[in-house]
Amino acid sequence: MNRFFAKEIQDGKAFLESDESYHLAMVLRMEIGQEIEVVFDGRLYLARIKNNDKRQAEAEIICEKEVNSEPNINVTLFQSLPKGSKMDFAVQKCTELGVSYIVPIITKRCVAKAKEGKEDRLNRIAYEACKQCKRVSVPHVNKCKSLKDVDFSFYDLAIVAYEDENAVSLKSVLEKREKLSKVALIIGPEGGFEREEIDGLKASGVMCVSLGRRILRSETAGMAALTAILYHYGEMEI
């Protein structure tokens, strides 16, 4: 069944986003009376098309449906800004895997620079990825921040993947923790973290973990760690 995001639900009617209206009417050529799924504010509904106008499609809500596509653990990815389109790739794939929030960060060895308004593009990528993988909650991509300006005390667990950590694995940290609600996952840039950055993170309560014997690319490390976290807590089936 085709699924669409609504911008508003009022008086039992769902009003679709403008691009969703165009897709329904002009691409899929759906007709009045056909049933669709509608997503609004993290909830999923069964609805029937009432107006297939390409500028403002409307659907009548039939009932609310059960949602099982969202993880019960919120993982925020703090991704050091990589070069080129690698951030686009990381946002897309981590959205598909189940990340809750994404915060691009600037670290000392970042080559890429923060660009004004880039978060709009990244949020669009997250939105499209959500539609593709049938999620109902679109992860929000924040504006880029400096690593030193982030407060990690909000999280039940904050971990940083560090290539020079040999004693503590991600698995060993997770095995010592019961079910968590909020996790911060920090990933470094292509050149890795500087030692003083790691020392600062440790001083603020962040745990250094190893992701294994092989050094992963920055855009790969976040996906690998996110998958491991969600799998460990039963949020993924492999």
Side-chain angles (χ1 to χ4, degrees):
M1 182 174 291
N2 290 297
R3 182 177 294 190
F4 302 89
F5 281 77
K7 66 178 182 180
E8 182 184 12
I9 289 183
Q10 187 175 10
D11 298 328
K13 297 179 186 176
F15 299 87
L16 302 191
E17 300 278 4
S18 58
D19 57 340
E20 296 281 74
S21 296
Y22 184 88
H23 188 69
L24 179 148
M26 305 304 294
V27 179
L28 298 178
R29 302 284 182 179
M30 298 193 74
E31 299 179 354
I32 292 173
Q34 286 187 268
E35 292 185 356
I36 59 173
E37 289 181 332
V38 172
V39 175
F40 178 71
D41 196 25
R43 302 172 80 169
L44 180 65
Y45 301 89
L46 178 65
R48 184 177 293 108
I49 299 172
K50 188 173 183 179
N51 181 343
N52 59 356
D53 188 286
K54 66 180 181 181
R55 291 162 296 186
Q56 181 61 84
E58 300 176 22
E60 185 178 10
I61 299 296
I62 299 173
C63 64
E64 186 170 353
K65 300 183 71 174
E66 182 181 358
V67 174
N68 59 8
S69 60
E70 295 303 315
N72 292 312
I73 179 172
N74 292 328
V75 180
T76 299
L77 171 65
F78 291 87
Q79 173 70 56
S80 296
L81 205 58
K83 296 182 291 185
S85 61
K86 294 176 181 178
M87 190 68 189
D88 298 2
F89 180 77
V91 168
Q92 182 188 65
K93 299 310 175 188
C94 286
T95 296
E96 292 176 17
L97 289 168
V99 76
S100 297
Y101 303 95
I102 300 172
V103 183
I105 54 174
I106 295 294
T107 56
K108 291 182 179 296
R109 293 180 183 172
C110 278
V111 176
K113 304 297 182 184
K115 294 182 180 178
E116 188 67 29
K118 187 173 183 178
E119 68 273 8
D120 294 337
R121 169 182 168 77
L122 295 176
N123 275 297
R124 184 67 192 180
I125 290 171
Y127 172 76
E128 294 293 343
C130 251
K131 290 179 61 179
Q132 180 273 320
C133 68
K134 299 262 183 191
R135 289 186 62 180
V136 298
S137 294
V138 182
H140 181 69
V141 183
N142 287 11
K143 287 187 177 182
C144 195
K145 292 184 176 182
S146 173
L147 175 62
K148 61 183 176 60
D149 294 331
V150 181
D151 179 8
F152 295 106
S153 63
F154 170 77
Y155 300 92
D156 302 326
L157 174 66
I159 53 178
V160 55
Y162 185 41
E163 64 274 15
D164 288 339
E165 176 56 62
N166 299 313
V168 181
S169 68
L170 174 58
K171 180 181 179 181
S172 68
V173 170
L174 297 179
E175 286 177 341
K176 294 175 183 177
R177 301 286 183 128
E178 295 182 357
K179 188 75 172 180
L180 300 170
S181 176
K182 301 180 290 293
V183 175
L185 171 61
I186 309 159
I187 302 296
E190 287 96 333
F193 288 105
E194 290 195 357
R195 185 68 218 186
E196 66 179 274
E197 291 177 309
I198 292 297
D199 290 341
L201 288 171
K202 285 183 175 180
S204 65
V206 177
M207 297 188 66
C208 290
V209 299
S210 167
L211 298 184
R213 292 171 291 175
R214 291 169 292 281
I215 302 298
L216 303 179
R217 291 180 180 271
S218 179
E219 68 274 19
T220 306
M223 291 184 285
L226 174 64
T227 300
I229 293 168
L230 294 179
Y231 178 76
H232 177 81
Y233 289 111
E235 298 292 350
M236 294 190 73
E237 297 179 5
I238 298 176

PDB file of all heavy atoms in Angstrom, residues 147 150-153 157-161 184-186 197-209:
ATOM      1  N   LEU A 147      32.529  20.154  18.258  1.00  0.00           N
ATOM      2  CA  LEU A 147      32.535  19.076  19.246  1.00  0.00           C
ATOM      3  C   LEU A 147      32.602  19.607  20.671  1.00  0.00           C
ATOM      4  O   LEU A 147      31.918  19.111  21.562  1.00  0.00           O
ATOM      5  CB  LEU A 147      33.726  18.139  18.979  1.00  0.00           C
ATOM      6  CG  LEU A 147      33.957  17.013  19.988  1.00  0.00           C
ATOM      7  CD1 LEU A 147      32.766  16.062  20.017  1.00  0.00           C
ATOM      8  CD2 LEU A 147      35.247  16.263  19.675  1.00  0.00           C
ATOM      9  N   VAL A 150      29.230  20.516  22.564  1.00  0.00           N
ATOM     10  CA  VAL A 150      28.180  19.516  22.777  1.00  0.00           C
ATOM     11  C   VAL A 150      28.196  19.039  24.222  1.00  0.00           C
ATOM     12  O   VAL A 150      29.243  18.692  24.770  1.00  0.00           O
ATOM     13  CB  VAL A 150      28.353  18.316  21.826  1.00  0.00           C
ATOM     14  CG1 VAL A 150      27.226  17.304  22.061  1.00  0.00           C
ATOM     15  CG2 VAL A 150      28.362  18.777  20.377  1.00  0.00           C
ATOM     16  N   ASP A 151      27.015  18.999  24.839  1.00  0.00           N
ATOM     17  CA  ASP A 151      26.851  18.486  26.196  1.00  0.00           C
ATOM     18  C   ASP A 151      26.295  17.064  26.119  1.00  0.00           C
ATOM     19  O   ASP A 151      25.168  16.860  25.664  1.00  0.00           O
ATOM     20  CB  ASP A 151      25.893  19.401  26.971  1.00  0.00           C
ATOM     21  CG  ASP A 151      25.656  18.916  28.405  1.00  0.00           C
ATOM     22  OD1 ASP A 151      26.337  17.973  28.841  1.00  0.00           O
ATOM     23  OD2 ASP A 151      24.772  19.492  29.079  1.00  0.00           O
ATOM     24  N   PHE A 152      27.089  16.105  26.559  1.00  0.00           N
ATOM     25  CA  PHE A 152      26.675  14.704  26.463  1.00  0.00           C
ATOM     26  C   PHE A 152      26.042  14.176  27.751  1.00  0.00           C
ATOM     27  O   PHE A 152      25.736  12.984  27.851  1.00  0.00           O
ATOM     28  CB  PHE A 152      27.876  13.825  26.089  1.00  0.00           C
ATOM     29  CG  PHE A 152      28.427  14.116  24.720  1.00  0.00           C
ATOM     30  CD1 PHE A 152      29.621  14.797  24.574  1.00  0.00           C
ATOM     31  CD2 PHE A 152      27.739  13.723  23.591  1.00  0.00           C
ATOM     32  CE1 PHE A 152      30.132  15.075  23.307  1.00  0.00           C
ATOM     33  CE2 PHE A 152      28.234  13.981  22.323  1.00  0.00           C
ATOM     34  CZ  PHE A 152      29.435  14.664  22.184  1.00  0.00           C
ATOM     35  N   SER A 153      25.825  15.036  28.734  1.00  0.00           N
ATOM     36  CA  SER A 153      25.262  14.598  30.009  1.00  0.00           C
ATOM     37  C   SER A 153      23.789  14.206  29.890  1.00  0.00           C
ATOM     38  O   SER A 153      23.246  13.555  30.787  1.00  0.00           O
ATOM     39  CB  SER A 153      25.411  15.710  31.057  1.00  0.00           C
ATOM     40  OG  SER A 153      24.687  16.874  30.678  1.00  0.00           O
ATOM     41  N   LEU A 157      24.007   6.837  27.887  1.00  0.00           N
ATOM     42  CA  LEU A 157      25.324   6.320  27.512  1.00  0.00           C
ATOM     43  C   LEU A 157      25.848   7.133  26.345  1.00  0.00           C
ATOM     44  O   LEU A 157      25.130   7.354  25.364  1.00  0.00           O
ATOM     45  CB  LEU A 157      25.222   4.837  27.100  1.00  0.00           C
ATOM     46  CG  LEU A 157      26.500   4.191  26.550  1.00  0.00           C
ATOM     47  CD1 LEU A 157      27.572   4.115  27.637  1.00  0.00           C
ATOM     48  CD2 LEU A 157      26.200   2.808  25.980  1.00  0.00           C
ATOM     49  N   ALA A 158      27.085   7.586  26.464  1.00  0.00           N
ATOM     50  CA  ALA A 158      27.749   8.299  25.374  1.00  0.00           C
ATOM     51  C   ALA A 158      29.042   7.570  25.054  1.00  0.00           C
ATOM     52  O   ALA A 158      29.860   7.331  25.942  1.00  0.00           O
ATOM     53  CB  ALA A 158      28.034   9.752  25.760  1.00  0.00           C
ATOM     54  N   ILE A 159      29.203   7.186  23.795  1.00  0.00           N
ATOM     55  CA  ILE A 159      30.385   6.430  23.383  1.00  0.00           C
ATOM     56  C   ILE A 159      31.022   7.078  22.162  1.00  0.00           C
ATOM     57  O   ILE A 159      30.333   7.657  21.323  1.00  0.00           O
ATOM     58  CB  ILE A 159      30.036   4.953  23.081  1.00  0.00           C
ATOM     59  CG1 ILE A 159      28.877   4.878  22.076  1.00  0.00           C
ATOM     60  CG2 ILE A 159      29.691   4.194  24.335  1.00  0.00           C
ATOM     61  CD1 ILE A 159      28.504   3.461  21.679  1.00  0.00           C
ATOM     62  N   VAL A 160      32.327   6.958  22.081  1.00  0.00           N
ATOM     63  CA  VAL A 160      33.053   7.457  20.918  1.00  0.00           C
ATOM     64  C   VAL A 160      33.863   6.307  20.340  1.00  0.00           C
ATOM     65  O   VAL A 160      34.568   5.595  21.067  1.00  0.00           O
ATOM     66  CB  VAL A 160      33.964   8.654  21.278  1.00  0.00           C
ATOM     67  CG1 VAL A 160      34.929   8.326  22.396  1.00  0.00           C
ATOM     68  CG2 VAL A 160      34.713   9.155  20.041  1.00  0.00           C
ATOM     69  N   ALA A 161      33.731   6.096  19.032  1.00  0.00           N
ATOM     70  CA  ALA A 161      34.532   5.080  18.354  1.00  0.00           C
ATOM     71  C   ALA A 161      35.925   5.653  18.143  1.00  0.00           C
ATOM     72  O   ALA A 161      36.098   6.662  17.462  1.00  0.00           O
ATOM     73  CB  ALA A 161      33.891   4.715  17.020  1.00  0.00           C
ATOM     74  N   ALA A 184      24.298   8.380  22.837  1.00  0.00           N
ATOM     75  CA  ALA A 184      25.056   9.268  21.946  1.00  0.00           C
ATOM     76  C   ALA A 184      26.188   8.458  21.333  1.00  0.00           C
ATOM     77  O   ALA A 184      26.965   7.834  22.040  1.00  0.00           O
ATOM     78  CB  ALA A 184      25.609  10.461  22.708  1.00  0.00           C
ATOM     79  N   LEU A 185      26.267   8.478  20.011  1.00  0.00           N
ATOM     80  CA  LEU A 185      27.306   7.773  19.277  1.00  0.00           C
ATOM     81  C   LEU A 185      28.149   8.807  18.536  1.00  0.00           C
ATOM     82  O   LEU A 185      27.638   9.509  17.663  1.00  0.00           O
ATOM     83  CB  LEU A 185      26.675   6.785  18.295  1.00  0.00           C
ATOM     84  CG  LEU A 185      27.600   6.105  17.290  1.00  0.00           C
ATOM     85  CD1 LEU A 185      28.655   5.274  18.021  1.00  0.00           C
ATOM     86  CD2 LEU A 185      26.785   5.235  16.334  1.00  0.00           C
ATOM     87  N   ILE A 186      29.423   8.898  18.881  1.00  0.00           N
ATOM     88  CA  ILE A 186      30.302   9.933  18.329  1.00  0.00           C
ATOM     89  C   ILE A 186      31.305   9.288  17.378  1.00  0.00           C
ATOM     90  O   ILE A 186      32.011   8.345  17.742  1.00  0.00           O
ATOM     91  CB  ILE A 186      31.053  10.662  19.463  1.00  0.00           C
ATOM     92  CG1 ILE A 186      30.059  11.138  20.531  1.00  0.00           C
ATOM     93  CG2 ILE A 186      31.851  11.844  18.907  1.00  0.00           C
ATOM     94  CD1 ILE A 186      30.696  11.394  21.878  1.00  0.00           C
ATOM     95  N   GLU A 197      41.180  15.900  22.157  1.00  0.00           N
ATOM     96  CA  GLU A 197      39.733  15.774  21.986  1.00  0.00           C
ATOM     97  C   GLU A 197      39.223  14.545  22.734  1.00  0.00           C
ATOM     98  O   GLU A 197      38.179  14.600  23.401  1.00  0.00           O
ATOM     99  CB  GLU A 197      39.379  15.672  20.507  1.00  0.00           C
ATOM    100  CG  GLU A 197      39.607  16.947  19.718  1.00  0.00           C
ATOM    101  CD  GLU A 197      39.300  16.786  18.240  1.00  0.00           C
ATOM    102  OE1 GLU A 197      39.820  15.823  17.627  1.00  0.00           O
ATOM    103  OE2 GLU A 197      38.566  17.618  17.693  1.00  0.00           O
ATOM    104  N   ILE A 198      39.953  13.444  22.625  1.00  0.00           N
ATOM    105  CA  ILE A 198      39.573  12.226  23.337  1.00  0.00           C
ATOM    106  C   ILE A 198      39.642  12.440  24.844  1.00  0.00           C
ATOM    107  O   ILE A 198      38.747  12.030  25.595  1.00  0.00           O
ATOM    108  CB  ILE A 198      40.467  11.054  22.912  1.00  0.00           C
ATOM    109  CG1 ILE A 198      40.192  10.673  21.452  1.00  0.00           C
ATOM    110  CG2 ILE A 198      40.267   9.849  23.827  1.00  0.00           C
ATOM    111  CD1 ILE A 198      38.785  10.178  21.189  1.00  0.00           C
ATOM    112  N   ASP A 199      40.684  13.111  25.297  1.00  0.00           N
ATOM    113  CA  ASP A 199      40.811  13.397  26.733  1.00  0.00           C
ATOM    114  C   ASP A 199      39.643  14.245  27.222  1.00  0.00           C
ATOM    115  O   ASP A 199      39.111  14.025  28.321  1.00  0.00           O
ATOM    116  CB  ASP A 199      42.133  14.113  27.011  1.00  0.00           C
ATOM    117  CG  ASP A 199      43.338  13.190  26.819  1.00  0.00           C
ATOM    118  OD1 ASP A 199      43.146  11.955  26.830  1.00  0.00           O
ATOM    119  OD2 ASP A 199      44.461  13.715  26.657  1.00  0.00           O
ATOM    120  N   GLY A 200      39.239  15.211  26.416  1.00  0.00           N
ATOM    121  CA  GLY A 200      38.100  16.056  26.781  1.00  0.00           C
ATOM    122  C   GLY A 200      36.803  15.277  26.835  1.00  0.00           C
ATOM    123  O   GLY A 200      35.975  15.482  27.734  1.00  0.00           O
ATOM    124  N   LEU A 201      36.619  14.357  25.889  1.00  0.00           N
ATOM    125  CA  LEU A 201      35.414  13.528  25.887  1.00  0.00           C
ATOM    126  C   LEU A 201      35.382  12.617  27.112  1.00  0.00           C
ATOM    127  O   LEU A 201      34.350  12.465  27.764  1.00  0.00           O
ATOM    128  CB  LEU A 201      35.354  12.693  24.599  1.00  0.00           C
ATOM    129  CG  LEU A 201      35.039  13.452  23.309  1.00  0.00           C
ATOM    130  CD1 LEU A 201      35.228  12.555  22.097  1.00  0.00           C
ATOM    131  CD2 LEU A 201      33.620  14.011  23.333  1.00  0.00           C
ATOM    132  N   LYS A 202      36.511  12.012  27.432  1.00  0.00           N
ATOM    133  CA  LYS A 202      36.575  11.148  28.611  1.00  0.00           C
ATOM    134  C   LYS A 202      36.256  11.929  29.883  1.00  0.00           C
ATOM    135  O   LYS A 202      35.538  11.434  30.768  1.00  0.00           O
ATOM    136  CB  LYS A 202      37.962  10.521  28.719  1.00  0.00           C
ATOM    137  CG  LYS A 202      38.240   9.402  27.735  1.00  0.00           C
ATOM    138  CD  LYS A 202      39.633   8.811  27.992  1.00  0.00           C
ATOM    139  CE  LYS A 202      39.901   7.618  27.123  1.00  0.00           C
ATOM    140  NZ  LYS A 202      41.242   7.044  27.354  1.00  0.00           N
ATOM    141  N   ALA A 203      36.765  13.145  29.959  1.00  0.00           N
ATOM    142  CA  ALA A 203      36.530  13.983  31.140  1.00  0.00           C
ATOM    143  C   ALA A 203      35.053  14.322  31.301  1.00  0.00           C
ATOM    144  O   ALA A 203      34.588  14.563  32.422  1.00  0.00           O
ATOM    145  CB  ALA A 203      37.361  15.261  31.055  1.00  0.00           C
ATOM    146  N   SER A 204      34.309  14.320  30.200  1.00  0.00           N
ATOM    147  CA  SER A 204      32.877  14.630  30.262  1.00  0.00           C
ATOM    148  C   SER A 204      32.016  13.375  30.381  1.00  0.00           C
ATOM    149  O   SER A 204      30.788  13.446  30.274  1.00  0.00           O
ATOM    150  CB  SER A 204      32.458  15.429  29.023  1.00  0.00           C
ATOM    151  OG  SER A 204      32.597  14.657  27.847  1.00  0.00           O
ATOM    152  N   GLY A 205      32.654  12.214  30.598  1.00  0.00           N
ATOM    153  CA  GLY A 205      31.902  10.978  30.830  1.00  0.00           C
ATOM    154  C   GLY A 205      31.683  10.107  29.619  1.00  0.00           C
ATOM    155  O   GLY A 205      30.990   9.091  29.701  1.00  0.00           O
ATOM    156  N   VAL A 206      32.268  10.484  28.482  1.00  0.00           N
ATOM    157  CA  VAL A 206      32.133   9.675  27.268  1.00  0.00           C
ATOM    158  C   VAL A 206      33.089   8.490  27.330  1.00  0.00           C
ATOM    159  O   VAL A 206      34.240   8.625  27.746  1.00  0.00           O
ATOM    160  CB  VAL A 206      32.416  10.532  26.014  1.00  0.00           C
ATOM    161  CG1 VAL A 206      32.346   9.672  24.751  1.00  0.00           C
ATOM    162  CG2 VAL A 206      31.429  11.692  25.921  1.00  0.00           C
ATOM    163  N   MET A 207      32.615   7.315  26.895  1.00  0.00           N
ATOM    164  CA  MET A 207      33.442   6.103  26.905  1.00  0.00           C
ATOM    165  C   MET A 207      34.024   5.850  25.524  1.00  0.00           C
ATOM    166  O   MET A 207      33.313   5.908  24.510  1.00  0.00           O
ATOM    167  CB  MET A 207      32.607   4.896  27.335  1.00  0.00           C
ATOM    168  CG  MET A 207      32.053   4.990  28.741  1.00  0.00           C
ATOM    169  SD  MET A 207      31.267   3.439  29.256  1.00  0.00           S
ATOM    170  CE  MET A 207      32.683   2.343  29.318  1.00  0.00           C
ATOM    171  N   CYS A 208      35.313   5.541  25.473  1.00  0.00           N
ATOM    172  CA  CYS A 208      35.970   5.163  24.227  1.00  0.00           C
ATOM    173  C   CYS A 208      35.750   3.673  23.976  1.00  0.00           C
ATOM    174  O   CYS A 208      35.903   2.852  24.881  1.00  0.00           O
ATOM    175  CB  CYS A 208      37.472   5.442  24.293  1.00  0.00           C
ATOM    176  SG  CYS A 208      37.897   7.177  24.301  1.00  0.00           S
ATOM    177  N   VAL A 209      35.397   3.320  22.735  1.00  0.00           N
ATOM    178  CA  VAL A 209      35.196   1.918  22.384  1.00  0.00           C
ATOM    179  C   VAL A 209      35.887   1.612  21.066  1.00  0.00           C
ATOM    180  O   VAL A 209      36.106   2.488  20.232  1.00  0.00           O
ATOM    181  CB  VAL A 209      33.695   1.551  22.267  1.00  0.00           C
ATOM    182  CG1 VAL A 209      32.980   1.771  23.587  1.00  0.00           C
ATOM    183  CG2 VAL A 209      33.026   2.330  21.140  1.00  0.00           C
TER     184      VAL A 209
END
